[in-house]
Amino acid sequence: MKKSKHHYLPECFIKNFTEDGKTYILDMFIFNKIKQYKPDASPSINPRSPGSICYIPDLHVLEESFKKRFPAYALLNELALENDIFGCLETEYGRIFPCIEKRQRLNISQAITFIKFLISLKLRNPYRVKSIDITSYLKDESINSLIEVGLSIYPNLPASVFRELIDSIAEEYSNDPSFIEQYFKGGLLRRHLPGGLLEKITSKLISYKWYLLEACTGANFISSDNPGFSISDNKSFNTKYDSNFSFFFPLSSTFCLYISDNDLENDGFFGGDEKLFIHQVISEQCVNEINEIGFRYKYRYIFAKKKESLKSFLPIITGG
């Protein structure tokens, strides 16, 4: 059966960094491969359509081997993640973003869907798979810590139960390299369930003021294929929403969302059922700083509306 393109960063997002239907991209995977053989190689900037990048064939398919490993999801359609969860959010975001461009207030339903979509992009990005290191959880000190956590939640269960669970995970991981990818899919389903992590982060972020940062004339936001990051204590993080954070998420070549947990909304939703974006134009230096930090969390691609934007960014990429 022919495989389908499953975008980890959807076309409805990428198209906001396009001109005449094309975005300019740097493929860092290809560039780094070329550098192994030609250290002085220069990155190649090419125009691409949104549908031709940021996808992995059948990335979100819930195959039979997944359902056997995670029987709680056995009755789900194999495209439940791709169509029923991600597809619905993408469709709604495509309708909401034009309102944001026009600096219109969002009703409560639109505001919730908007922030859910952005956080869902962070949760589903394969960049997170790279950060999963099962072996680190299988060291004795980590195992003891996991057992302590398990006992704190289920104090009536013996420690041996948690030890057996960890051993079974270790065995699955050593016998099947696909375990990490399937483990990731299971986590995505769990996090997108009602009352799951996505809902909890959404309810938190919606209680803060939302700033719509606009790039000044002559400046443009660029994006990686893993957009958005947080700053806390002068350090950057791919994801951080617990406390003492500032969250940045480029939405287009012109606009970037900014949220800080130090800036609570005075009255929640304005008028009880609307969310207002506070508009603020920022300098080219600030735009460049946001672009530079965002580059750290790329998975494979960097893209921009204008070729010149990526050309000016080359010294950051090459270290020159």
Side-chain angles (χ1 to χ4, degrees), residues 106-122:
L106 302 181
N107 62 43
I108 185 169
S109 177
Q110 289 174 319
I112 289 172
T113 300
F114 167 72
I115 205 68
K116 267 189 177 181
F117 172 79
L118 298 186
I119 300 305
S120 178
L121 292 187
K122 298 300 295 180

Side-chain angles (χ1 to χ4, degrees), residues 258-305:
Y258 166 69
I259 302 173
S260 170
D261 68 336
N262 292 319
D263 211 353
L264 275 171
E265 192 80 270
N266 293 331
D267 301 313
F269 291 99
F270 289 83
D273 60 358
E274 290 184 321
K275 186 73 173 179
L276 174 69
F277 286 90
I278 302 169
H279 178 250
Q280 186 174 326
V281 177
I282 62 174
S283 68
E284 184 173 5
Q285 179 181 347
C286 290
V287 172
N288 290 339
E289 288 176 358
I290 291 171
N291 289 341
E292 183 176 345
I293 297 172
F295 172 70
R296 300 174 191 173
Y297 300 103
K298 66 189 177 302
Y299 176 66
R300 175 170 179 171
Y301 298 103
I302 305 294
F303 56 91
K305 178 179 180 178

